[in-house]
Amino acid sequence: MANTPHGGQLLDLVARDAPRRAELASEAATLYSITLNERQLCDIELILNGGFSPLTGFLNQQDYTSVLDNLRLANGLLWPVPITLDVNAAQVQAGNIKQGTRIALRNPQDDNAIAIITIQDVYTPDKHREAAAVFGADDIAHPAVHYLHTETKEFYVGGSLDAIDLPTHFDYVEHRFTPSELRAHFKKLNWTRVVAFQTRNPMHRAHRELTVRAARLRHCNVLIHPVVGMTKPGDIDHYTRVRVYKAILPKYPQGMAALSLLPLAMRMGGPREALWHAIIRKNFGCTHFIVGRDHAGPGKNSAGQDFYGPYDAQHLVAKYKDELDIEVVPFQMVAYVPETDEYIPADEVPEGTKTLNISGTELRRRLKTGASIPDWFTYPEVQTILRQSHPARSQQGFAVFFTGFWNSGAAQIATALQMSLNQGGQRPTTLLLGETIRAELSSELGFSKKDRDVNIQRIAFVAAEIAKCGGAVVAAPIAPYDSARNEARKAVEKAGGGFFLVHVATPLEDCIKRDRSGTYARAQKGEIKGFTGIDDPYEVPSSAQLTVDASKAPVSQIVHEIILLLEKEGYIGER
Ligand code: PPS
């Protein structure tokens, strides 16, 4: 038997409102709409499917205040995290948002109306008080407090929901279960005791060990129940993680474990979040829930100290043990003992015994550099998946971005560099000469600062897309402005590529001397206006990786300098 939902009844609003679906969809088309943001979308999915039972909508002021002060809804039921719908003044006015108004709530991904809210109240939250009460500190270093002060709009709207549809997912659909579906799944598998494991990280041998131990001690099956909604900024993306979880599943014997993805927007709220997680797992039918060390911990505060103590979460869930009605399984991490080649709980390791561990930071470092990851730490299948999404530098894309006066020699160097990179054959290499871009992408642009910035922005966009796919880009515009070059760097680096700015600092006199086309002569006579170096500025780069001068060194030498730089940074060659 699956566990009883929180509050006694699973409030699957989609099932409840299914008979009125067509009617509600037609009504939504006539109503003022609010397009939800990513976090609101996660929240509403779990309200609509019953994952947040007993909630049937977003919190009104009375419930909100009660959750902040008492960790309970106004009716007394335990509920630790405020689930609120934030709107701004313009929306309140445009939608005539007041008690009794009905508003359509839309999915930002496809614009479909997924629910209608009947407004109970509109209120102004005290965000400082909310931060202190829910997250323990009004400190912007906490990701949820940061969100509250930078993203959350000024009003909250309370009200109950009529469900139209759940948001449609297009990834890993077969592993997504609503609470009703998961309960049916447990029934089909004849699972009566299920221990849920919450995670926002890839799983390795230690996690498999830890969950099997929990299952053994409590005579349970294991539900791997990872968060795939919003996790801590900087976490490994959920696509990679789900591939890892799928690879881990066969490591459990005799179908002992199942995988279900949870579209939760985490708040990283430590103790309160642990309580919330336990309630959600109860709604999904689980009978047991693993709460580890520093559960849902946000890291360090602005004073450099941990926001929560390592066992705060375990203590809070223990405090509400009787009311929770889901057995919380406290667990410390397991440690690897090389001498016996086994994992044992960290607190059971005999004194003086050597243990090994690889921290998340160390793992990320090894993934970045391509350093080896030992088999005792993770399974070969997991390594392959992690390596695919974190290729070593020698497989990552990059851009060599030249800047310099027109006719500085940058075009010749860029062309030669492409040939040299093609010779190595490690990646496809794209050459973006100023003239090609001006003809193919920017033909309508002139040479004002604004137009030049747009031109560089377009080059950066193309370079970032290519770098994202592991290709190399050699770009050679004049790019006279530092800000545009810095933006280009940001775009490529954000796409996961390396960015190398090479300043071709050939003196203007040499650029003019080498000009056989008469372009500079025309600019000097005023026939071309706003020509870089003549009557338009060139800002010398403040952050070039390499500065070269084509009047002093031959192209072949300059290309070699660039090749040496790329090798040093690990982008070409094999180590
Ligand atoms: S920028 O500043 O990076 O957007 O410039 P870029 O795209 O590299 O364009 C350089 C080409 O445009 C011709 N041209 C000018 N350059 C600078 N200033 C002015 N006012 C100007 N007007 C035209 C310049 O000769 C380069 O031509 P190509 O065909 O690339 O040699």
Side-chain angles (χ1 to χ4, degrees), residues 406 434-435 438 447 452 455-456 477-480 528-532:
W406 180 71
E435 63 191 80
R438 285 272 168 188
F447 291 88
R452 289 180 197 260
N455 186 39
I456 301 307
I478 296 175
I528 309 175
K529 299 261 181 279
F531 203 89
T532 308

Side-chain angles (χ1 to χ4, degrees), residues 90-298:
Q91 288 173 311
V92 171
Q93 204 188 6
N96 189 23
I97 296 181
K98 58 179 194 316
Q99 195 188 13
T101 311
R102 280 168 73 75
I103 304 247
L105 301 178
R106 292 185 180 272
N107 184 341
Q109 285 148 14
D110 54 18
D111 201 40
N112 284 338
I114 51 185
I116 296 175
I117 182 169
T118 305
I119 309 292
Q120 283 175 353
D121 55 3
V122 185
Y123 54 102
T124 310
D126 178 342
K127 293 183 182 178
H128 299 291
R129 198 164 93 76
E130 179 179 331
V134 182
F135 303 111
D138 188 15
D139 182 341
I140 207 90
H142 191 296
V145 177
H146 185 265
Y147 184 96
L148 186 62
H149 289 306
T150 59
E151 307 270 332
T152 305
K153 301 186 198 96
E154 62 266 40
F155 298 107
Y156 287 175
V157 161
S160 57
L161 297 177
D162 289 321
I164 301 175
D165 261 329
L166 286 174
T168 310
H169 291 284
F170 298 94
D171 57 338
Y172 306 118
V173 181
E174 76 277 22
H175 288 290
R176 292 179 183 268
F177 293 83
T178 66
S180 317
E181 288 166 350
L182 198 59
R183 287 163 173 274
H185 193 60
F186 290 162
K187 186 152 188 244
K188 184 177 166 66
L189 297 172
N190 293 317
W191 286 12
T192 51
R193 296 166 65 86
V194 182
V195 61
F197 178 61
Q198 139 81 29
T199 180
R200 41 169 263 269
N201 286 309
M203 287 175 72
H204 305 291
R205 283 182 195 269
H207 303 100
R208 184 262 183 211
E209 217 47 52
L210 179 162
T211 48
V212 170
R213 274 174 184 274
R216 198 186 297 145
L217 286 173
R218 303 296 200 281
H219 305 278
C220 287
N221 285 94
V222 175
L223 177 72
I224 301 172
H225 207 198
V227 172
V228 295
M230 289 169 76
T231 61
K232 195 174 161 194
D235 280 349
I236 291 185
D237 68 283
H238 83 271
Y239 297 108
T240 304
R241 289 191 289 113
V242 177
R243 289 198 291 275
V244 167
Y245 306 138
K246 286 169 76 167
I248 287 270
L249 267 186
K251 307 294 176 193
Y252 290 84
Q254 325 300 117
M256 180 196 276
L259 170 66
S260 170
L261 310 182
L262 183 67
L264 178 72
M266 287 181 75
R267 292 359 187 211
M268 307 311 299
R272 279 201 186 220
E273 180 122 0
L275 213 51
W276 187 39
H277 285 182
I279 291 171
I280 295 166
R281 271 42 184 236
K282 183 165 143 72
N283 287 332
F284 275 87
C286 303
T287 52
H288 296 69
F289 179 54
I290 299 171
V291 176
R293 197 179 173 278
D294 194 26
H295 190 100

